[in-house]
Amino acid sequence: MFDLVIRGALLLDGLGSAPARGDLAVTGDRIAVVGKVEGASKTTLDAGGLALMPGIVDNHTHYDAQITWDPGVAPSPELGVTTAVIGNCGFTIAPCRSRDRELVMRNLTQVEGMSLEVLRQGIRWDFETVPEYLDMLERQRAAVNVAVFAGHSALRTYVMGEAATRRVATGDEIQQMKALLLEALRAGAIGFSTSTSPAHNGEGGLPMPSRLADDDELRTLVSSLKEAGHGLFMLTKGGHTRMSFLEELAAESTRPVVVAALLHSSTNPEAVFHDLDAIAQANARGRRLVGAVSCCPLAMDFTLRSPYTFEGLESWQPALALRGAAYEAKLREKRFRDGVREELARPAHFRLFNAQWDKVHVIESGRRGAEQRSVGELAREAGADPLDYMLDLALEENLRTVFSALLLNSDEEAVGRMLRHPASLVSLSDAGAHLTFFNDAGFGLHLLGHWVRERGALTLADAARRLTSQPAGVFGIRERGALRPGFYADLLLFDPASVNRGPKQRVFDLPGGHPRLTTAAVGVHGVWVNGVRLDGSARPGRLLREFSA
Ligand SMILES: [Zn+2]
């Protein structure tokens, strides 16, 4: 007797095979039969031709803090995600001593787009070490399966305290980090994550700790993966980190390397393709690298109170640590504005914002007729410089004006090429982070709806593969990511004719009633994790501790 049989579905096996009409049976937490199912079942569901695929593996999330107060990890499960990898970019909350909690939270506020207040009220600190954090997650259970990176910035803060954001580490400190990393890997961390990106700053503009690491530190830490015998290295790459250095690390450690964040910039349109081609060439030499790309346009909502869009600019640094009147005075300063203009006029290998003022829109403002129009257009009409226009408008409205900037990945021809590139991995949802700026937790539904149905850039079978067995393979996630007898029953039932993510909405459900952006699922008819159908309160997810990578 099966526990569940889904009959008459369009089966997408996650391995890229042509879609085939058939049934699927589940016993306990595993898939029992795929194809033609005979025999009785406790529950039977007629799929009526809807598509059935393995649940989405979201390999780039930041639920490390949220999961401690929200094991439902909203909104990912309803968007078809059944496994989430947390702790990307090195931004983890373990290990952490009680005296360093404030420090770790302050580092996270900027990059995670959550206020310090939310983190203070929300995080449950029932742990100090990574093994203790893993045990806590295992006890509390989550809606989806979770795998956890050991994050560089947390390791650094644990060993160096406040100095972690200020200087290179000594040989002794590097050895202490390495011991902690090995402990984490042995307890079941999925790998080691870090960031060298200038866009990653903590509160007051201090760089995230990992950005202070020199090549020796990275080399020593990545080599721990070889000693541990499993795990991968993930980094969000700043422009100064050379691909040849990453290939060396891949060669020395013999472990897979995930290179993020490869986003397309219209002002430097070939840069990401150079990176992807370099990765493909390294792989031809026997390495295992993959380029993390996004299938979503990177659009960010922001106010000048927390302008993540600009904070990676060198010329913005003098404003980063300022608050209140001093900050406003800086935004008024002509010299400051000229500096920003000059920097934006210079070419850059990678830059979040590239002075495309026609792609910056006013979303909420008291100024008549300004909403929904671009800053470029409004500035031309007013005979003003666009940077001046934006800053003056914001200053006039106590920095409450809400803008939205379409920053990267807006050239769909180019993004389609990236998605099809043999060295790319569909990634970068950043779910759980940047909560007030954007929400791409529905990236998988966007791939299936927009890129498959609306643009025909990928086949349904290939898109399903890129969301399931491919990331499971790269990350060494076992027995998931394919519709195969014996594999775990992580399933997504959807309508290919309507699947998509809904428009973004602002909701106020963070601790203390703080806002975040979210998006609803369209065309999703059921999500199962380990054979259990998600209904909003179910917590069938497992903590994943054993990997094959
Ligand atoms: Zn990230």
Side-chain angles (χ1 to χ4, degrees), residues 298-505:
L298 181 61
M300 283 196 181
D301 284 14
F302 67 94
T303 67
L304 268 296
R305 291 187 174 206
S306 184
Y308 188 84
T309 312
F310 301 98
E311 287 170 351
L313 294 176
E314 196 60 46
S315 52
W316 201 269
Q317 302 309 303
L320 271 185
L322 303 177
R323 290 286 167 273
Y327 174 57
E328 293 191 19
K330 180 58 74 181
L331 296 185
R332 281 198 177 86
E333 207 177 85
K334 180 162 185 313
R335 234 168 52 115
F336 171 74
R337 294 181 178 192
D338 286 343
V340 174
R341 274 188 280 265
E342 269 164 41
E343 180 173 355
L344 289 174
R346 284 197 302 270
H349 178 73
F350 177 81
R351 189 161 56 204
L352 207 49
F353 181 64
N354 289 289
Q356 295 179 294
W357 293 103
D358 288 326
K359 293 182 178 177
V360 181
H361 283 78
V362 178
I363 302 299
E364 284 174 26
S365 163
R367 188 174 286 183
R368 279 185 69 167
E371 288 184 2
Q372 303 308 325
R373 294 182 67 200
S374 79
V375 169
E377 189 188 354
L378 291 162
R380 276 193 297 278
E381 209 171 87
D385 169 87
L387 178 69
D388 290 335
Y389 186 94
M390 178 188 74
L391 294 177
D392 290 339
L393 173 59
L395 285 163
E396 201 181 292
E397 302 187 326
N398 277 319
L399 309 186
R400 284 181 207 280
T401 321
V402 180
F403 299 92
S404 180
L406 180 53
L407 297 167
L408 297 163
N409 260 23
S410 58
D411 177 342
E412 298 218 303
E413 209 49 55
V415 176
R417 255 173 83 201
M418 289 163 65
L419 293 174
R420 287 187 299 266
H421 197 286
S424 73
L425 173 75
V426 179
S427 183
L428 306 179
S429 86
D430 265 336
H434 308 299
L435 290 185
T436 51
F437 305 128
F438 67 90
N439 188 315
D440 286 340
F443 77 107
L445 304 185
H446 184 65
L447 190 77
L448 297 167
H450 182 68
W451 291 100
V452 174
R453 184 182 64 246
E454 292 171 1
R455 286 196 61 96
L458 299 170
T459 64
L460 197 53
D462 193 37
R465 179 185 71 82
R466 286 173 175 275
L467 295 171
T468 58
S469 74
Q470 190 201 2
V474 171
F475 282 72
I477 294 168
R478 295 184 191 169
E479 299 172 323
R480 300 185 189 273
L483 300 186
R484 258 196 191 159
F487 271 40
Y488 288 97
D490 295 344
L491 307 169
L492 167 59
L493 183 68
F494 68 98
D495 182 358
S498 65
V499 66
N500 224 324
R501 56 173 178 171
K504 66 183 175 192
Q505 297 164 278

Side-chain angles (χ1 to χ4, degrees), residues 3 49 65 174-175 179 195 198 210 213 222 225 236 247 265 299 386 394 410 428 449 488 505 511 514 518:
D3 289 310
I174 294 172
Q175 287 309 314
S195 166
S210 63
V222 175
L225 297 171
T236 293
E247 185 180 349
S265 163
S410 58
L428 306 179
Y488 288 97
Q505 297 164 278
H514 286 263
T518 188

Side-chain angles (χ1 to χ4, degrees), residues 22-73:
D23 317 323
L24 181 138
V26 175
T27 301
D29 58 2
R30 306 267 184 165
I31 296 170
V33 185
V34 182
K36 176 117 193 74
V37 175
E38 318 247 1
S41 172
K42 288 179 193 152
T43 308
T44 303
L45 203 125
D46 179 4
L50 295 173
L52 184 66
M53 63 178 265
I56 294 165
V57 177
D58 186 344
N59 62 78
H60 193 119
T61 81
H62 291 278
Y63 281 124
D64 304 65
Q66 184 183 328
I67 197 170
T68 72
W69 73 77
D70 171 27
V73 292

Side-chain angles (χ1 to χ4, degrees), residues 256-280:
V257 176
V258 174
V259 184
L262 303 187
L263 295 159
H264 187 261
S265 163
S266 306
T267 52
N268 193 356
E270 287 308 308
V272 287
F273 295 106
H274 292 154
D275 285 346
L276 284 169
D277 291 344
I279 289 171

